[in-house]
Amino acid sequence: MDYKSGLIPDGNAMENLEKQLICPICLEMFTKPVVILPCQHNLCRKCANDIFQAANPYWTNRGGSVSMSGGRFRCPSCRHEVIMDRHGVYGLQRNLLVENIIDIYKQECSSRPLQKGSHPMCKEHEDEKINIYCLTCEVPTCSLCKVFGAHQACEVAPLQSIFQGQKENSHQVKEELSHKFDALYAILDEKKSELLQRITQEQEEKLDFIEALILQYREQLEKSTKLVETAIQSLDEPGGATFLLSAKPLIKSIVEASKGCQLGKTEQGFENMDYFTLNLEHIAEALRAIDFGTDEEEEFTEEEEEEDQEEGVSTEGKEGHQ
């Protein structure tokens, strides 16, 4: 079995492994040599030495002239206090396993494309990268600013976690905005369907009325045609007695037919449907004015509306007294 491939998998496991190789002081991947404390927590030796020097200012570095018996060191992860010997952090055992894992991890990551652009550096500590985010002051900073500088009493978090949080928040805001516009689209589609249905209903009613008139006029035309044919046949009768016998009922039928000609008709402009018009300019202006606002602006607008209503009520009351 390949030791490297079994130790360093791909995907999310690589990210999880990287988190385990982060120094709790500098919040970056351990820098060799890595020392292991008696509490089994790991630190970069440089980071451990910086903390040890700050807690024991009279203890000199390796090769110094001042001789001390040692000093105290508090683990930044579990707060367990360790009594150092005269060698200080240089007397701590190196964690060769972690160092080997770091080497393998870096080899696996070496094939990945490097990110473009330089990493921003701390203005207070020029050699330190900006790698943490101060939650108290809401600014990016470096690990030395947290340990020794202006952010000692502040609450901090890894820069990447803050970046991911803000990125997710941006995604959430975009989704909420999309949902709101989708709701507007739904309202417009619903209103569009409603108005089109009203036009269609009016159109169908007018068509039904016209079809009914056509049927009435067709029936009346058939009756009139038959009556005319009967009258022509009567005129052709050679005998006077026969003509006179049929003349009276024929005349009566003609009179009744003339009375029955009072059929329905369409009024002038019956086909006109211009009354189905919309003035959407004020709505279009409102849509164009859509913008991001604050709660304060909304509250201010509501207060203005309430004041206008109160003024309107007051004016009506005065007019009523007059």
Side-chain angles (χ1 to χ4, degrees):
M1 177 179 179
D2 187 1
Y3 172 70
K4 288 171 61 178
S5 61
L7 182 62
I8 308 293
D10 295 331
N12 295 331
M14 289 284 285
E15 297 179 1
N16 294 331
L17 178 61
E18 183 178 355
K19 293 178 182 180
Q20 300 300 320
L21 299 177
I22 297 299
C23 173
I25 302 300
C26 63
L27 297 181
E28 292 186 352
M29 187 172 293
F30 289 119
T31 302
K32 297 193 300 183
V34 180
V35 295
I36 182 170
L37 301 174
C39 57
Q40 301 303 308
H41 289 118
N42 298 291
L43 297 172
C44 305
R45 189 162 68 184
K46 179 182 178 300
C47 295
N49 191 55
D50 289 340
I51 295 178
F52 181 71
Q53 291 286 348
N56 303 274
Y58 297 106
W59 191 92
T60 60
N61 287 332
R62 199 174 191 184
S65 58
V66 179
S67 176
M68 297 291 294
S69 61
R72 296 178 180 274
F73 183 89
R74 189 178 295 275
C75 175
S77 297
C78 65
R79 313 305 296 169
H80 176 71
E81 189 174 73
V82 181
I83 304 299
M84 298 292 190
D85 60 16
R86 60 188 180 86
H87 298 292
V89 296
Y90 293 92
L92 293 174
Q93 182 180 359
R94 290 177 61 176
N95 194 332
L96 298 179
L97 176 60
V98 172
E99 292 182 9
N100 291 334
I101 293 174
I102 291 174
D103 290 338
I104 298 173
Y105 177 84
K106 289 182 177 179
Q107 290 175 9
E108 290 291 328
C109 295
S110 61
S111 59
R112 299 182 181 180
L114 297 177
Q115 294 182 350
K116 298 181 179 180
S118 59
H119 194 99
M121 309 300 288
C122 178
K123 294 181 180 180
E124 297 295 330
H125 308 92
E126 296 180 356
D127 295 332
E128 292 292 326
K129 296 179 180 179
I130 292 179
N131 54 5
I132 60 176
Y133 187 85
C134 179
L135 299 175
T136 305
C137 304
E138 297 183 347
V139 292
T141 185
C142 76
S143 56
L144 289 184
C145 286
K146 169 59 180 173
V147 179
F148 309 110
H151 301 281
Q152 293 185 53
C154 299
E155 183 180 358
V156 299
L159 197 64
Q160 186 67 16
S161 64
I162 300 299
F163 167 72
Q164 292 295 337
Q166 292 184 358
K167 187 176 180 180
E168 290 177 4
N169 182 59
S170 175
H171 181 70
Q172 181 180 359
V173 170
K174 288 181 180 179
E175 283 190 347
E176 291 178 355
L177 181 64
S178 298
H179 290 331
K180 290 181 180 180
F181 272 90
D182 289 342
L184 284 178
Y185 300 150
I187 293 174
L188 290 174
D189 287 339
E190 182 180 357
K191 179 55 68 173
K192 175 183 175 182
S193 299
E194 176 188 340
L195 296 179
L196 288 175
Q197 180 62 31
R198 288 171 58 183
I199 295 175
T200 302
Q201 182 178 355
E202 181 75 9
Q203 182 183 17
E204 291 176 352
E205 290 177 356
K206 288 188 175 186
L207 288 175
D208 291 343
F209 181 75
I210 293 297
E211 290 176 356
L213 283 182
I214 291 174
L215 180 61
Q216 292 178 12
Y217 276 91
R218 182 182 292 115
E219 292 176 351
Q220 182 63 31
L221 181 61
E222 291 176 355
K223 291 180 180 179
S224 299
T225 300
K226 291 180 179 180
L227 188 60
V228 170
E229 291 176 353
T230 303
I232 292 174
Q233 291 177 358
S234 297
L235 291 174
D236 292 338
E237 281 291 336
T242 304
F243 175 79
L244 292 175
L245 287 173
S246 62
K248 186 175 181 179
L250 181 61
I251 293 173
K252 183 178 179 181
S253 298
I254 293 173
V255 172
E256 291 179 352
S258 63
K259 291 180 179 180
C261 288
Q262 303 297 325
L263 299 175
K265 60 181 180 178
T266 60
E267 298 179 357
Q268 186 177 1
F270 174 80
E271 73 285 354
N272 189 3
M273 299 183 72
D274 291 343
Y275 49 87
F276 286 109
T277 58
L278 291 176
N279 182 9
L280 301 177
E281 186 59 31
H282 62 293
I283 297 179
E285 291 178 358
L287 292 175
R288 295 188 193 100
I290 292 177
D291 200 353
F292 298 107
T294 61
D295 294 338
E296 294 180 357
E297 292 178 353
E298 295 177 357
E299 292 175 359
F300 183 74
T301 304
E302 292 177 356
E303 290 177 358
E304 285 184 340
E305 293 178 353
E306 291 177 357
E307 290 178 358
D308 293 340
Q309 292 177 358
E310 291 177 357
E311 290 179 359
V313 173
S314 177
T315 304
E316 292 176 357
K318 290 180 181 180
E319 292 177 354
H321 288 302
Q322 291 177 355

